[in-house]
Amino acid sequence: MELDNVCSLSGSPALENHVPDNDPTVITCVNQQDVLQTEKLPNQSSEWKSSSDWLQYHSLHMSEQLSQHTAKIILQMDGGGACGQQQNSSEAVSELEFKLYQMIELYHGRIRWLNQGSRKVFGVIQGSRVGLIIDSSDANCSSTEVRLQELQTNLQCLIEEQLSTKKQLYLMSFGSDHSSLWDSPKDINASRLQEAHGWVRELRPMGNCNLLQALQRGLELGRSQLDSLVIILGSRTEQTPDAIAEYAEQCTLGQELSVHVVSYCSSSATSTVKRLAEVTHGRYHVVTASRCVVDDSTDVSVLRQEIQVARDLLSQTEALHQGHLEDMVTVLEDMTVSGTDGEMSAEREDLSLLLPCPADRSCLLNIKPSGVQDICSADWLHSDGLKAKRLGLYQVLSPNAYSPVEQYVPILNKTVTSTVHEKAMVQFEWHDGTVKNLHVDLPCIFNYQKQLQAVVCALERRVQWLSCGSRQIWGAVYEKRVQILVDMSLMNSSLSLPIDLFLKRLLEEQLSNTHSFNIITFGSSVTMWRERMAPPTPENLGDAWQWFQGVQYSGNSTTLDGLRQALAGILHDNSGYGGASSDQLTQGVYLLTSGLPVQEMGELCSYASESCSRQRLHLHVCLCTNKEEDKHPSVGYTDLHRTAGALRELAQAGRGRFHWCTEEGIMESDDITLLTEEMEQAASYWEKSFKLVEALTQRGSCTCPGEVVPPGQNGSALIPQHLRSSRDGPIPLPKPTALTIARLQAKSEVSSTARAYTPPGQSMSGKRPLSTKSMQKKCNYASQSFFYLEDGNLGVMFKSYPKPKSVRKSIPSVALPKREDLCSTKQWLKRYSVRRLKLDLHRLLSGPDCAHGKKLVPSVLKAVSARYCSIFPTVQINGAVKHLQLTPGELEDYLCQTQRLLQRYLQRLHWLLTGSRRVFGTVLEKDVCVLVDVSGSMAPSLAELKRDLSSLIWDQLHHNKIRFSLVAFSGEVRVWRTALQEPSEEQCLSAVEWVSQLDTHGCTNTLGALQTACGFEDRVGLYLLSDGKPDCSCSLVLRETKRLTTGRHITVHTVSYNCSDSAANDFLRDMAHQTGGRYHRSHDDADTLTTRLLASRGRDVDSPELPDFEGDDLRGLAREINKLGLFRKQAQSFRDIITKKTADTS
């Protein structure tokens, strides 16, 4: 394809009429380098990138001067007299035309640059670690001698111009087989470049074009050692393009590998090249042999699209000369809708934002009904999400998932787990935390990954659709009856142009698809466009726009009055247009504001929740802000993020959605948030499925013919499973003969006591021979010697016999610690629980000798117990009949050991209930931050709280040398020290003094305190003390806490302080458990319980009366105490049964 004819700047009519005098962009001979200097971009080396990356700095959207010229046109069209306005506008339009011609020339210069040197043949090579795969088949290298010489010359030029600047390089040629210059990518230096030139000169034909085999090797290196893969194809491949594309797509899913495919002077390879670039999301480059020019290229195509955009803009400059600015806006919007490429469409949409509505607000509407009713993202996911399409990973894998089988084997006296999965299955963690054994079907997993990719693409398209037009600020307007509520207070006067633009686009794009609508403005007073809702006819939409132009900004933001008017209008408007009843139509109110109202947010939220819960009504909140308001807050702006949080709660109370848009774009959108969460879920599913495939391929993979085993990898790992089972380990010894054994025994000095064992060679099953330790352990039971008999045969004499092993369990003697360990109850019970110390009474009675057996006797046709069943007493253990074979002495020993353990448990419980551990538990981390709730509800407990905090500082932080800081929060957040402090006496005294000055007031800003505390360090333990729920949404706090702690070693421990609200306690427990922390609750009756425990120490207390602890540490220890008390009661009853049985027998 020939290059496009380059437009001459000197011949353009715009430049003939006017050339600016003091414009820095005025040049006489335009070339690429001059325009680059005019743009003054920060990265001058960007021209060696791909055209898509290059356009990120040089596109029409990124041109600062084009934006300045456009703004200049708007300003000159808004002000000045009639004659001056016309003259200034004409000059500004000429400047805009001049800049557009410059940009067109810049793109043509880029295309000319791409058609020079090695870039003309191979394109621009990206990446720093490049792998080059060259087609050296007979068709590409031996068709003519001139073709091979040209290929070698072009390759040497490529190495010299582009590959010499890379960090690492890997060269491989392929035909029927493949061969490489090096085994792995090598660092580039002068000697390596000479080797590469020599290797290129030695290229020779190698048979047919087996691209699939070479691609397998290249993509294998691309997983870890390469970031760019260049494939030069010059002939028809042996495999079909679909087969190659399917393999490449499967191998590159989820990998950040840049693939660049070149069709070298071969029309038969063009389809394969384009298909391969499409499935790998890479680039292609097609060179024609006859004209030796670039026939087609990804880099050139995107430049031509940008040139077409500039030419379309130039064709509409006549409208700008006549002063019709709204016509230009319409053209840009039409180009956005008709754009095919998503990225280019987004840029064009942003270009249309360069031309906002004029200040006189006199432009007419350009209504463009889509004809299709929009839906919100939640409803869209119900029909097109992962769950709707049945693409949940566990749902797909469940037919081939099996739980591990565990069964108790009496003869082994232990529980045995099945091991079939080790050879036939892959273990996989299930969503409930259990482990399943999976049969992995690779084609099924591949198809599942392709379906996931298709869903993600659909989600991305919807996100992009929601990010353009009026949906940026309003979202998708899907209700049938819509009320638009606009804040026209004085604080929004600085945002008059954006508000006009947003409302105009809403009227043009979305309201035409509704059943009826109305517009209400509020400021000093509440004004309605119509008393009743009207159908969205073009006349009504135009009349509503004209009415809105006459509304002036005045007064304060009386949101509650406007909201009451909007909701009352919906409740009392029962007219049904088009034959539909208004009660059967969905109804929505869209509130557009830029700050907080003058009313209390609690009153607004209560009114919205009560009004929207009784009918099919949704209240959506749209927040519009700019940059200056964050630096210079106006009325209602305490903080942009707090404003957004308050309005977000209002939207949630009204069962609606929240949208936040600024000059920079969309800051927050509930519609987009749902879609991004769905994409994250799909990415998680894809990653887990990829790990499944990777685990299966690592268990057993096979090399293709001629494949080289990667360095550092054992070659046996590439042998199929069914062929390598007999080759694992050392080769077994041959089977010894009788004469060999006799000679070995004759050489032994102590033959009569020699330990005999089965030689490894006697195992003829092909299994791996036993190791030396396991052989000695298994074969060290008997002693034997060999000798010859008179008839010549070999005889064996046993000297000793193995002792039989008893399966009867004995009562162990426990060793208990004297000092308390600084650990949680869960960690402490891992070492000293009843089961860990082997004092579980039910397990002591679960041996094979305790089983109660019955056998069916055919003669009497019934099951009869064994004879010994009448000798031993029977009891019920977990629903099964067991025989008591423990003696009274053993039960007395058991009661003695459990009495010691019970006393130790009570000692631990008393330790946990004393000091600051009663409130905060045991502080485990070396770096902690204590968050204290000092809201108004903490006033009755303030004195007690100060004592507990002082005790914590001296009792644990100072004593255990724990670095710490303190944070107090109510409506605001106060920090004692901005960094963690060493627990010296001076710092502890300062902390106690700071605590003594705390006072209670305000609300409970738990989220702000957590955000402040998470900013200390990445490894810190947070101890949050509070008496109730936060002021904001509990789910929001939990979600934000999870985001703040993800990927960081931050653990949140929570303390419920004198709180009787079960919902608040559940919230604190959920926060602690989701971060791996512990939940504590301060008990009012702890002093009484401590006194009772002190009195019971040293006495025989079988079942101490413990309250229902709710804290994790106390509840876990109390559960173990109750369990031990139950075992002691059963042991005492068993002892009485055995004693009575013995007395009756005697």
Side-chain angles (χ1 to χ4, degrees):
M1 184 180 296
E2 298 288 348
L3 290 175
D4 288 348
N5 295 326
V6 180
C7 297
S8 175
L9 291 180
S10 59
S12 63
L15 295 183
E16 292 177 357
N17 295 333
H18 172 73
V19 177
D21 297 330
N22 298 324
D23 198 331
T25 61
V26 175
I27 48 181
T28 55
C29 182
V30 179
N31 54 45
Q32 181 188 11
Q33 202 67 21
D34 295 333
V35 179
L36 285 177
Q37 293 175 1
T38 303
E39 292 292 327
K40 297 182 180 179
L41 294 171
N43 187 6
Q44 295 293 343
S45 62
S46 62
E47 59 184 30
W48 282 98
K49 297 182 179 180
S50 65
S51 293
S52 299
D53 297 337
W54 183 83
L55 283 175
Q56 293 181 1
Y57 300 99
H58 300 82
S59 64
L60 296 175
H61 170 62
M62 294 301 297
S63 177
E64 297 181 0
Q65 295 183 3
L66 185 61
S67 304
Q68 295 173 1
H69 291 320
T70 307
K72 186 175 180 181
I73 294 173
I74 298 172
L75 293 176
Q76 291 178 354
M77 291 183 66
D78 291 340
C83 297
Q85 178 181 355
Q86 184 176 2
Q87 181 179 1
N88 294 335
S89 301
S90 178
E91 293 178 357
V93 171
S94 299
E95 293 177 5
L96 177 61
E97 289 181 342
F98 181 78
K99 183 57 185 176
L100 287 173
Y101 280 115
Q102 279 187 332
M103 299 303 293
I104 292 176
E105 178 63 22
L106 173 63
Y107 300 144
H108 281 296
R110 170 79 178 181
I111 294 177
R112 288 194 298 270
W113 179 77
L114 289 173
N115 279 270
Q116 297 174 0
S118 61
R119 299 179 296 275
K120 177 180 179 180
V121 182
F122 303 106
V124 178
I125 307 301
Q126 289 186 287
S128 59
R129 294 174 289 124
V130 180
L132 184 63
I133 301 178
I134 305 170
D135 178 9
S136 60
S137 60
D138 294 342
N140 191 33
C141 294
S142 64
S143 59
T144 60
E145 185 177 353
V146 177
R147 181 184 176 93
L148 177 59
Q149 293 177 356
E150 289 180 352
L151 175 62
Q152 292 173 340
T153 303
N154 292 329
L155 288 175
Q156 289 180 352
C157 181
L158 174 66
I159 294 174
E160 196 66 31
E161 287 186 4
Q162 300 192 54
L163 300 184
S164 60
T165 61
K166 308 300 181 182
K167 292 182 179 180
Q168 288 186 341
L169 182 62
Y170 178 79
L171 298 176
M172 181 175 66
S173 62
F174 69 94
S176 299
D177 198 358
H178 66 268
S179 65
S180 59
L181 177 59
W182 305 296
D183 295 336
S184 62
K186 301 295 183 182
D187 295 335
I188 294 180
N189 50 40
S191 60
R192 294 272 165 74
L193 290 177
Q194 291 180 0
E195 293 180 18
H197 283 290
W199 180 79
V200 169
R201 288 192 294 268
E202 296 296 329
L203 282 179
R204 293 295 180 268
M206 299 175 59
N208 297 328
C209 182
N210 188 1
L211 176 60
L212 187 61
Q213 181 182 0
L215 195 61
Q216 180 181 5
R217 175 58 178 165
L219 294 178
E220 181 182 353
L221 291 174
R223 293 178 182 176
S224 58
Q225 303 182 49
L226 298 176
D227 59 8
S228 179
L229 188 64
V230 181
I231 304 172
I232 301 175
L233 190 63
S235 60
R236 185 185 299 274
T237 60
E238 290 183 348
Q239 300 82 12
T240 61
D242 291 338
I244 296 175
E246 184 176 358
Y247 176 78
E249 182 181 9
Q250 182 180 2
C251 293
T252 55
L253 279 174
Q255 295 188 16
E256 297 181 357
L257 178 65
S258 174
V259 179
H260 181 68
V261 194
V262 179
S263 175
Y264 182 77
C265 302
S266 174
S267 58
S268 59
T270 303
S271 59
T272 304
V273 165
K274 292 186 177 181
R275 184 83 173 97
L276 192 58
E278 177 186 358
V279 298
T280 58
H281 304 285
R283 297 176 296 127
Y284 65 87
H285 191 84
V286 180
V287 181
T288 303
S290 59
R291 293 175 290 177
C292 194
V293 296
V294 179
D295 186 62
D296 195 6
S297 174
T298 306
D299 290 334
V300 176
S301 298
V302 295
L303 292 173
R304 297 187 190 280
Q305 293 178 7
E306 198 73 11
I307 291 173
Q308 187 61 40
V309 173
R311 288 178 175 174
D312 292 340
L313 291 175
L314 282 173
S315 64
Q316 300 296 328
T317 53
E318 185 64 27
L320 292 178
H321 279 293
Q322 299 176 2
H324 299 295
L325 183 60
E326 63 278 4
D327 295 342
M328 195 67 176
V329 176
T330 303
V331 170
L332 288 175
E333 292 176 350
D334 293 339
M335 290 166 51
T336 302
V337 175
S338 61
T340 55
D341 186 81
E343 189 172 335
M344 296 296 295
S345 297
E347 291 184 2
R348 293 171 181 172
E349 175 64 26
D350 294 334
L351 255 179
S352 64
L353 293 178
L354 297 176
L355 300 172
C357 295
D360 58 4
R361 305 162 66 185
S362 61
C363 56
L364 300 178
L365 295 181
N366 181 22
I367 300 175
K368 298 169 294 184
S370 61
V372 180
Q373 182 66 30
D374 297 334
I375 59 175
C376 62
S377 293
D379 295 338
W380 187 85
L381 289 176
H382 281 312
S383 59
D384 296 280
L386 294 174
K387 187 175 181 180
K389 294 183 177 295
R390 301 181 181 273
L391 290 179
L393 178 62
Y394 305 103
Q395 186 178 7
V396 174
L397 297 179
S398 58
N400 295 326
Y402 304 92
S403 301
V405 179
E406 295 185 357
Q407 186 176 0
Y408 178 79
V409 180
I411 195 171
L412 299 178
N413 193 25
K414 64 179 181 180
T415 302
V416 179
T417 306
S418 61
T419 59
V420 179
H421 68 275
E422 295 181 357
K423 295 183 179 180
M425 302 183 187
V426 175
Q427 286 193 327
F428 183 71
E429 184 178 358
W430 214 243
H431 59 84
D432 56 356
T434 60
V435 177
K436 301 283 188 179
N437 297 328
L438 292 178
H439 281 293
V440 181
D441 186 0
L442 289 180
C444 177
I445 294 296
F446 174 57
N447 291 331
Y448 172 70
Q449 290 178 342
K450 291 179 65 176
Q451 293 176 3
L452 278 182
Q453 189 178 15
V455 172
V456 170
C457 291
L459 290 169
E460 290 176 348
R461 288 194 299 269
R462 181 165 178 86
V463 169
Q464 183 181 354
W465 178 75
L466 289 172
S467 302
C468 62
S470 61
R471 292 174 291 274
Q472 287 183 347
I473 183 66
W474 302 98
V477 179
Y478 63 93
E479 293 90 355
K480 288 294 185 181
R481 306 177 72 238
V482 177
Q483 290 268 23
I484 307 299
L485 192 59
V486 184
D487 185 357
M488 298 293 287
S489 59
L490 283 176
M491 72 175 181
N492 292 343
S493 58
S494 61
L495 296 171
S496 59
L497 286 179
I499 290 177
D500 290 350
L501 177 62
F502 293 149
L503 184 60
K504 178 175 178 290
R505 288 191 172 183
L506 178 66
L507 293 170
E508 291 176 341
E509 297 177 2
Q510 299 197 65
L511 286 187
S512 58
N513 298 324
T514 61
H515 178 271
S516 56
F517 79 102
N518 198 359
I519 301 178
I520 302 175
T521 62
F522 62 92
S524 58
S525 62
V526 179
T527 309
M528 300 179 62
W529 167 60
R530 294 283 180 87
E531 293 296 330
R532 305 174 68 88
M533 302 182 72
T537 61
E539 294 78 12
N540 287 339
L541 292 174
D543 183 65
W545 173 240
Q546 294 294 334
W547 172 84
F548 181 76
Q549 293 173 14
V551 181
Q552 300 298 325
Y553 292 88
S554 62
N556 296 325
S557 179
T558 57
T559 307
L560 184 57
D561 296 338
L563 192 59
R564 285 174 176 170
Q565 186 69 34
L567 297 180
I570 288 182
L571 290 174
H572 296 91
D573 187 6
N574 296 322
S575 61
Y577 295 95
S581 175
S582 60
D583 297 335
Q584 300 175 357
L585 301 177
T586 56
Q587 305 169 101
V589 176
Y590 288 80
L591 169 62
L592 177 61
T593 183
S594 64
L596 294 176
V598 295
Q599 296 89 357
E600 290 290 337
M601 289 303 300
E603 182 181 359
L604 270 176
C605 293
S606 300
Y607 178 76
S609 177
E610 181 180 359
S611 302
C612 297
S613 60
R614 294 179 299 179
Q615 53 185 332
R616 301 176 62 187
L617 177 62
H618 304 278
L619 172 60
H620 312 284
V621 181
C622 308
L623 176 61
C624 174
T625 60
N626 54 31
K627 296 180 181 178
E628 287 72 13
E629 290 170 349
D630 197 12
K631 300 178 181 178
H632 307 285
S634 59
V635 179
Y637 282 95
T638 56
D639 179 74
L640 276 182
H641 292 281
R642 293 185 182 180
T643 301
L647 294 177
R648 187 185 304 110
E649 291 184 6
L650 177 60
Q652 293 174 356
R655 302 190 308 155
R657 296 163 292 146
F658 175 70
H659 303 276
W660 180 12
C661 184
T662 66
E663 292 178 345
E664 298 178 352
I666 300 175
M667 295 293 294
E668 183 178 350
S669 173
D670 288 349
D671 279 339
I672 296 179
T673 300
L674 289 176
L675 300 177
T676 54
E677 291 176 354
E678 191 78 358
M679 285 191 284
E680 291 175 358
Q681 184 67 43
S684 175
Y685 286 161
W686 192 95
E687 183 179 0
K688 291 179 180 179
S689 64
F690 177 77
K691 290 181 179 179
L692 270 178
V693 176
E694 191 176 26
L696 184 65
T697 54
Q698 287 179 356
R699 291 174 65 103
S701 58
C702 182
T703 58
C704 294
E707 182 176 352
V708 180
V709 179
Q713 181 178 354
N714 189 1
S716 62
L718 300 176
I719 302 175
Q721 184 72 23
H722 66 282
L723 296 178
R724 71 167 187 233
S725 59
S726 61
R727 298 177 58 178
D728 290 343
I731 300 177
L733 299 174
K735 181 179 179 181
T737 61
L739 181 60
T740 302
I741 296 177
R743 288 175 178 175
L744 292 175
Q745 294 300 326
K747 292 181 181 180
S748 177
E749 297 180 358
V750 193
S751 61
S752 59
T753 59
R755 297 177 179 177
Y757 63 94
T758 304
Q762 291 185 2
S763 177
M764 300 302 295
S765 61
K767 296 182 179 180
R768 182 182 300 179
L770 296 175
S771 61
T772 306
K773 289 186 178 180
S774 60
M775 242 188 319
Q776 292 178 356
K777 182 177 180 181
K778 289 186 177 182
C779 303
N780 199 19
Y781 295 114
S783 176
Q784 55 188 358
S785 60
F786 297 91
F787 57 91
Y788 277 108
L789 300 177
E790 294 181 356
D791 55 0
N793 294 326
L794 188 65
V796 180
M797 180 176 65
F798 289 88
K799 293 294 185 179
S800 61
Y801 297 91
K803 296 181 180 180
K805 180 181 178 181
S806 174
V807 296
R808 195 168 183 271
K809 298 179 180 180
S810 59
I811 307 300
S813 178
V814 297
L816 300 174
K818 295 182 179 180
R819 297 183 178 180
E820 299 296 343
D821 298 332
L822 292 178
C823 61
S824 64
T825 298
K826 183 178 181 180
Q827 296 172 346
W828 193 79
L829 289 179
K830 285 183 178 180
R831 291 178 290 173
Y832 304 112
S833 64
V834 175
R835 184 166 184 174
R836 184 68 177 176
L837 296 176
K838 299 182 180 180
L839 290 178
D840 191 334
L841 184 61
H842 295 170
R843 292 180 67 88
L844 291 173
L845 298 176
S846 61
D849 52 344
C850 300
H852 176 67
K854 287 187 176 182
K855 186 177 181 181
L856 179 65
V857 179
S859 59
V860 296
L861 296 178
K862 66 177 182 179
V864 180
S865 302
R867 293 183 178 180
Y868 66 85
C869 290
S870 60
I871 302 175
F872 301 101
T874 58
V875 293
Q876 290 281 344
I877 301 295
N878 294 332
V881 179
K882 298 290 183 180
H883 291 288
L884 287 177
Q885 293 197 20
L886 294 176
T887 63
E890 290 176 332
L891 289 176
E892 287 291 344
D893 189 14
Y894 176 81
L895 290 174
C896 180
Q897 297 294 334
T898 53
Q899 173 65 24
R900 293 178 54 222
L901 182 59
L902 181 60
Q903 290 292 337
R904 186 64 185 85
Y905 283 167
L906 294 177
Q907 177 185 346
R908 176 79 180 182
L909 183 62
H910 172 260
W911 181 74
L912 291 175
L913 289 172
T914 55
S916 61
R917 290 176 295 273
R918 177 180 62 87
V919 178
F920 298 93
T922 307
V923 179
L924 306 179
E925 296 84 1
K926 289 299 181 183
D927 299 323
V928 301
C929 178
V930 183
L931 290 76
V932 184
D933 181 6
V934 291
S935 59
S937 59
M938 292 288 292
S941 307
L942 181 60
E944 182 184 358
L945 173 63
K946 292 180 179 180
R947 290 194 301 269
D948 292 334
L949 286 174
S950 301
S951 175
L952 171 68
I953 293 172
W954 293 109
D955 186 20
Q956 297 197 62
L957 304 182
H958 177 69
H959 182 266
N960 298 329
K961 298 180 180 180
I962 299 174
R963 295 197 309 156
F964 71 101
S965 183
L966 304 175
V967 175
F969 63 94
S970 55
E972 59 182 6
V973 179
R974 289 173 288 173
V975 182
W976 170 60
R977 293 288 189 271
T978 57
L980 299 181
Q981 303 296 318
E982 295 293 338
S984 61
E985 291 187 3
E986 294 79 6
Q987 295 294 342
C988 291
L989 287 172
S990 175
V992 171
E993 182 180 0
W994 185 80
V995 167
S996 63
Q997 298 175 359
L998 292 177
D999 56 347
T1000 57
H1001 65 281
C1003 54
T1004 308
N1005 186 12
T1006 307
L1007 181 57
L1010 288 170
Q1011 291 172 345
T1012 303
C1014 290
F1016 279 97
E1017 292 183 3
D1018 288 341
R1019 292 178 177 270
V1020 65
L1022 306 182
Y1023 287 78
L1024 172 65
L1025 183 144
S1026 180
D1027 68 337
K1029 296 188 292 185
D1031 291 342
C1032 58
S1033 172
C1034 293
S1035 59
L1036 173 64
V1037 177
L1038 293 175
R1039 186 166 60 250
E1040 186 68 13
T1041 303
K1042 183 178 180 181
R1043 184 189 67 81
L1044 291 172
T1045 57
T1046 300
R1048 306 170 67 187
H1049 299 279
I1050 296 179
T1051 306
V1052 180
H1053 309 277
T1054 56
V1055 180
S1056 174
Y1057 198 77
N1058 298 336
C1059 177
S1060 58
D1061 186 359
S1062 59
N1065 292 329
D1066 292 341
F1067 160 70
L1068 293 174
R1069 184 183 294 106
D1070 294 341
M1071 179 184 294
H1073 290 173
Q1074 81 170 1
T1075 60
R1078 293 166 294 142
Y1079 166 72
H1080 305 281
R1081 185 178 180 188
S1082 177
H1083 293 268
D1084 298 333
D1085 56 348
D1087 295 335
T1088 304
L1089 180 60
T1090 303
T1091 304
R1092 188 165 67 248
L1093 289 177
L1094 285 173
S1096 65
R1097 291 182 63 186
R1099 299 185 310 182
D1100 186 7
V1101 180
D1102 291 337
S1103 300
E1105 296 181 1
L1106 302 178
D1108 294 333
F1109 294 110
E1110 295 187 17
D1112 293 343
D1113 284 343
L1114 296 177
R1115 186 177 70 250
L1117 188 56
R1119 188 186 299 116
E1120 200 71 14
I1121 291 174
N1122 295 332
K1123 179 180 179 181
L1124 185 59
L1126 176 63
F1127 286 163
R1128 286 180 55 80
K1129 287 183 179 180
Q1130 290 181 348
Q1132 291 173 359
S1133 63
F1134 293 165
R1135 181 185 59 184
D1136 297 340
I1137 292 174
I1138 294 176
T1139 302
K1140 182 179 179 181
K1141 182 72 174 179
T1142 304
D1144 295 342
T1145 304
S1146 60

